Amino acid sequence: MSDGNTDVPHPDAHMVAAAVGGRLPGRVPTEEYEACPVTHVVRMLGDKWTLLVLMLLAERAHRFNELHRRVDGISQRMLTRTLRALEDDGLVARTVFPTVPPGVEYELTERGRELLVPLSALADWVVRDRAA
Amino acid sequence: MSDGNTDVPHPDAHMVAAAVGGRLPGRVPTEEYEACPVTHVVRMLGDKWTLLVLMLLAERAHRFNELHRRVDGISQRMLTRTLRALEDDGLVARTVFPTVPPGVEYELTERGRELLVPLSALADWVVRDRAA
DNA sequence: CCGAATCCCTGATGATACTG
DNA sequence: CAGTATCATCAGGGATTCGG
């Protein structure tokens, strides 16, 4: 940061600049890279079950056990953690129904559906480009 | 095309279908999800240093030590591994110059530059959407 | 200069058992 | 049904050293 220039709007200005085609500094500080929101999102998408859960929720809203059944091999623990992470990022909404027994529904938020657009474009490129 | 049967052309047909808006099976087999090329690419992008290395190479070709200097905190080992992974996926090209001492240059391949398009779109959305 | 080989450690993930 | 708690495991990543 600050190579003589005074106006740096965000701590992650460089990554942001990079994202849109700008230049990176001679040396990119670890904190800056780690703090970058783009880094955060890409890391989260790279987590073991995130992509699949997102795809299923893109289809329609699901109950917890419904997801658990559709995702072969996932543990209850990891499904909970994955959903929680998505919820914390505002991509998924959690709704509790005070029935007996209680039911919990997960669905994509508006932001989650928006994310699907560039994400689908990426997936689309991979498919077109012929399996990596 | 579809006389009621549910056969699949590729092992990863489901994920491919999902990528473009299709439906996923009632239960997604682990092998299928793990074998999916989209899963592979997203996971790779999520690796600790991949994004930053890609951004730097998007700027211009770099020598090994040049990258090592620009990426704060990366170990020689991880830089090698990251570059090798990108090379194996055909995103980065490695060129050895038989000078003394030997020099190695890394640059994006055509495929690598193509990946930057959807990837930039994703980064762009993140930035616009307001830092995650 | 570039990178392989080795050792080690922490964080991510899995298995199982237990509650509101 | 939908989690939480706990313990075990494993892979990603870092430090160091050696070789072409």
Side-chain angles (χ1 to χ4, degrees):
Chain A
M1 309 247 309
S2 83
D3 41 322
N5 199 331
T6 49
D7 60 332
V8 179
H10 310 303
D12 47 33
H14 291 132
M15 288 304 293
V16 169
V20 295
R23 297 269 166 100
L24 288 161
R27 168 170 263 238
V28 181
T30 301
E31 323 87 57
E32 201 161 324
Y33 179 51
E34 292 298 316
C36 177
V38 178
T39 299
H40 177 76
V41 169
V42 171
R43 291 258 179 87
M44 162 119 75
L45 291 175
D47 285 342
K48 190 162 183 178
W49 306 102
T50 304
L51 194 58
L52 183 49
V53 169
L54 276 180
M55 302 261 210
L56 289 171
L57 292 180
E59 201 177 288
R60 60 177 173 80
H62 283 72
R63 296 273 299 275
F64 184 88
N65 276 344
E66 215 174 354
L67 283 172
H68 199 187
R69 278 189 297 273
R70 295 195 68 183
V71 181
D72 180 49
I74 197 173
S75 62
Q76 217 169 30
R77 167 188 161 82
M78 285 314 295
L79 179 54
T80 299
R81 286 176 62 88
T82 301
L83 288 168
R84 172 65 65 95
L86 290 171
E87 196 190 349
D88 288 347
D89 268 20
L91 299 170
V92 164
R94 178 178 184 271
T95 310
V96 181
F97 296 97
T99 55
V100 179
V104 179
E105 190 177 82
Y106 290 93
E107 63 184 333
L108 291 184
T109 58
E110 173 56 24
R111 186 161 183 255
R113 284 188 295 275
E114 283 175 18
L115 169 60
L116 288 182
V117 178
L119 185 55
S120 295
L122 176 63
D124 207 48
W125 172 79
V126 173
V127 172
R128 246 191 268 287
D129 186 64
R130 144 193 177 297
Chain B
M1 51 180 66
S2 110
D3 39 349
N5 75 40
T6 53
D7 66 330
V8 290
H10 311 305
D12 47 33
H14 293 131
M15 288 305 294
V16 168
V20 296
R23 295 270 167 99
L24 288 161
R27 167 170 265 240
V28 182
T30 302
E31 324 86 56
E32 200 162 322
Y33 179 51
E34 292 298 316
C36 176
V38 178
T39 300
H40 177 76
V41 168
V42 171
R43 292 256 178 90
M44 161 117 72
L45 291 175
D47 285 342
K48 189 163 185 178
W49 305 103
T50 302
L51 194 59
L52 182 49
V53 169
L54 276 180
M55 302 262 211
L56 289 171
L57 291 179
E59 202 178 287
R60 60 177 173 79
H62 282 72
R63 293 276 299 277
F64 184 87
N65 275 345
E66 214 175 355
L67 282 173
H68 198 186
R69 278 189 298 272
R70 294 195 70 182
V71 181
D72 181 49
I74 197 174
S75 64
Q76 213 170 34
R77 167 187 160 82
M78 285 313 295
L79 180 53
T80 298
R81 284 173 61 87
T82 302
L83 288 168
R84 172 64 66 96
L86 290 171
E87 197 191 346
D88 289 346
D89 268 20
L91 299 171
V92 164
R94 178 178 184 270
T95 309
V96 180
F97 295 98
T99 55
V100 180
V104 180
E105 190 178 82
Y106 291 92
E107 62 183 333
L108 290 185
T109 60
E110 173 57 24
R111 186 162 184 255
R113 283 187 294 275
E114 282 176 19
L115 169 61
L116 288 182
V117 178
L119 184 55
S120 294
L122 176 63
D124 208 48
W125 172 78
V126 173
V127 172
R128 247 192 267 287
D129 184 66
R130 133 195 180 285

